[in-house]
Amino acid sequence: MSDRLRGTVALVTGASSGIGEATAVALAEEGATVAVVARRTDRLAALVERIRGQGGSALAITTDITEEARAREAVEHTVTELGRLDILVNNAGVMLLGPVEQARVADWRRMVEVNLLGLLYCAHAALPHLLRAAEDGPRQVADLVNVSSVAGRVTRPGSATYNATKHGVGAFSDALRQEVADRGVRVALVEPGLVATELVSHNTPEVQEASRKRFAGVEPLEPADVAEAITFMVTRPRRATVAELLIRTTSRE
């Protein structure tokens, strides 16, 4: 355990697996008390047990952030139970791929709801608390980290709507960064390349097979690689903001 984030509270969405789970563990290891948010209660319970077993402190909140009221309730519950909010990591996301012509509009709607609206709801609800933490917190700074993707920079066939949501995350992040930078809230964007998570498994068998062929021979990033990057961002001195961080695999993706 470290103490770089001792006395702070972090909230991580999409914490039941992958990057979110790894980030929650990493922040707890730095001394933060972590609220973990996702829809799968059993996964969250196991994560909280793991963090506590390592000497950390965590709170599980089962909810669906695509509903504005529930996203706001998750933030308020965190502050009520843990006393403050210093760090928000907007990690929840879904990737449903395929050509536009054959796409299910319901899949588009789901990506917009999770990747964009859920992120916006959480950011809006958290912002007053982050501003307050920047004013009176132990670090005199607060952090809002949005997890995007290489898909927020590079478009590819079969990824149109996913690209659109991730480009939107980047635009929102940079605009918000400019709005609150002078008030001590750092807004950061993380853009991972291929990561070994369950994202692709949500797709059709055809899309999963195409993905396997496309990335054959590529060693993916591990969730811990991205979590380490996020930890680096939120532990910088107050004077430094890592506003954008692109993380690629060493192999050509």
Side-chain angles (χ1 to χ4, degrees):
M1 297 290 291
S2 172
D3 62 357
R4 290 189 293 180
L5 295 176
R6 185 72 59 194
T8 68
V9 172
L11 187 158
V12 181
T13 69
S16 60
S17 67
I19 293 171
E21 179 182 6
T23 299
V25 171
L27 296 180
E29 288 175 346
E30 294 292 339
T33 298
V34 185
V36 292
V37 177
R39 294 181 301 163
R40 293 180 287 189
T41 302
D42 57 337
R43 294 281 192 94
L44 293 181
L47 176 57
V48 167
E49 183 177 355
R50 175 184 174 189
I51 290 172
R52 291 175 178 171
Q54 295 173 346
S57 181
L59 170 71
I61 302 175
T62 303
T63 198
D64 184 347
I65 61 163
T66 65
E67 297 181 29
E68 182 183 359
R70 296 184 68 184
R72 193 168 301 278
E73 286 170 2
V75 171
E76 296 304 324
H77 184 53
T78 298
V79 174
T80 298
E81 291 294 316
L82 304 179
R84 58 185 303 108
L85 181 61
D86 303 86
I87 300 166
L88 169 65
V89 180
N90 271 319
N91 166 73
V94 63
M95 180 179 70
L96 302 171
L97 305 178
V100 170
E101 186 177 3
Q102 288 86 39
R104 295 174 63 248
V105 174
D107 289 345
W108 291 355
R109 185 176 299 110
R110 182 62 182 161
M111 284 189 285
V112 170
E113 288 173 345
V114 178
N115 300 357
L116 270 179
L117 288 177
L119 181 147
L120 297 179
Y121 296 153
C122 289
H124 189 256
L127 197 54
H129 302 291
L130 296 175
L131 289 165
R132 192 172 304 117
E135 288 179 1
D136 63 18
R139 304 183 306 152
Q140 294 294 292
V141 71
D143 290 280
L144 196 167
V145 181
N146 291 325
V147 179
S148 180
S149 166
V150 168
R153 289 185 177 219
V154 180
T155 61
R156 289 193 175 97
S159 185
T161 303
Y162 184 66
N163 285 140
T165 63
K166 292 303 185 178
H167 276 72
V169 169
F172 173 77
S173 300
D174 195 54
L176 180 58
R177 178 187 60 79
Q178 296 174 66
E179 290 182 17
V180 298
D182 291 339
R183 300 169 70 185
V185 176
R186 301 184 291 203
V187 180
L189 183 71
V190 181
E191 299 161 301
L194 180 67
V195 185
T197 71
E198 58 185 45
L199 266 185
V200 174
S201 68
H202 301 153
N203 286 272
T204 65
E206 293 77 17
V207 169
Q208 292 183 55
E209 178 60 24
S211 180
R212 279 192 290 271
K213 289 180 179 178
R214 176 182 161 196
F215 293 113
V218 175
E219 182 181 4
L221 299 166
E222 292 295 329
D225 298 325
V226 184
E228 183 178 12
I230 293 171
T231 301
F232 174 81
M233 299 171 96
V234 303
T235 54
R236 294 310 84 209
R238 186 184 188 279
R239 64 182 178 273
T241 298
V242 182
E244 186 174 6
L245 189 56
L246 174 67
I247 311 171
R248 305 298 295 264
T249 64
T250 301
S251 304
R252 186 164 59 91
E253 296 178 40

